[in-house]
Amino acid sequence: MTSLEEIKKLIEKADNPFIFYDDDGDGLVSYCLIKRKYDKCNGTVVKGNFDTEIYLDKIKGYNPDLVLILDIPVIPQDFVDKVSVPIAWIDHHPITNLEGVKCFNPLFNDKKD
């Protein structure tokens, strides 16, 4: 479990963060709020299943120093394994344990966040 404060520090430290967000209302609003606060962020909507190869190509095109994932319920471990920059994931769906990802999820029930 990672705190929102830790994720905020990662975003502030990054020069070129890239965001993947779900194509529903909470994914879009999450992206818009972060983009409004940190204009340096770029991002793309994720529709349907998370296709590792398609989204790895997006990363290659932007060359980010941080990948932020918003409101996407399932991220394949093979995607995480192929990304060479830090990944932070903010989500509210049932918890999925991924190695190599800093994850904030209110289901972890950390009252201070």
Side-chain angles (χ1 to χ4, degrees):
M1 163 71 181
T2 300
S3 72
L4 287 177
E5 186 62 33
E6 290 174 83
I7 292 175
K8 179 181 174 191
K9 288 177 185 176
L10 286 171
I11 297 169
E12 289 174 348
K13 182 178 153 189
D15 292 323
N16 188 30
F18 191 80
I19 301 173
F20 293 101
Y21 59 95
D22 200 12
D23 69 340
D24 63 6
D26 31 327
L28 176 60
V29 170
S30 298
Y31 172 73
C32 289
L33 288 170
I34 290 175
K35 177 70 174 170
R36 182 174 166 188
K37 172 81 174 167
Y38 303 103
D39 189 50
K40 64 186 176 180
C41 295
N42 290 294
T44 192
V45 66
V46 174
K47 295 183 177 217
N49 293 334
F50 197 97
D51 185 310
T52 295
E53 295 308 314
I54 289 172
Y55 297 116
L56 284 174
D57 284 345
K58 290 281 187 189
I59 289 174
K60 289 176 189 169
Y62 281 92
N63 195 29
D65 53 356
L66 172 70
V67 170
L68 183 59
I69 300 170
L70 304 174
D71 189 46
I72 298 175
V74 178
I75 303 297
Q77 184 67 53
D78 71 318
F79 172 80
V80 173
D81 294 343
K82 293 176 181 176
V83 173
S84 60
V85 299
I87 299 173
W89 185 15
I90 302 173
D91 191 46
H92 63 96
H93 296 94
I95 297 169
T96 304
N97 292 317
L98 288 176
E99 292 183 31
V101 175
K102 296 190 180 292
C103 180
F104 174 82
N105 188 318
L107 295 177
F108 285 120
N109 200 23
D110 187 348
K111 300 288 186 206
K112 67 183 178 185
D113 279 325

